[in-house]
Amino acid sequence: MKPLTFYVKSKIGKVLAWSALGLVLLITILVTAFSSYFTGTDESELASIPESVLKWKPIMEEELAKYGMEDYI
């Protein structure tokens, strides 16, 4: 059996190593993107927002409504 370093030094080994690394990075990026896409803020999470921030919510809603961006509150 050949040592592992032989496979990494060969051209096919380098291609396989870079392909494996690329696949791992692609999977990591996809998992991160999908997890952030499917997690959103709902009304139950608003309870954790401090009152000092929530006092600005009506003003923000009013300003966003001027530009048709109510969904971005």
Side-chain angles (χ1 to χ4, degrees), residues 5-40:
T5 55
F6 170 78
Y7 294 107
V8 175
K9 289 181 182 178
S10 70
K11 194 171 199 172
I12 294 173
K14 287 181 182 178
V15 169
L16 289 175
W18 283 109
S19 298
L21 179 64
L23 184 62
V24 168
L25 289 175
L26 179 65
I27 290 171
T28 304
I29 290 169
L30 288 174
V31 167
T32 304
F34 280 113
S35 67
S36 63
Y37 176 76
F38 287 113
T39 57

Side-chain angles (χ1 to χ4, degrees), residues 41-47 49-65 70 72-73:
T41 304
D42 57 2
E43 293 297 323
S44 65
E45 292 178 11
L46 290 178
I49 298 175
E51 190 63 37
S52 61
V53 175
L54 285 177
K55 71 179 182 180
W56 300 105
K57 187 177 178 185
I59 296 169
M60 292 297 297
E61 288 173 337
E62 181 182 324
E63 290 299 315
L64 288 170
E70 297 90 350
Y72 296 99
I73 190 68

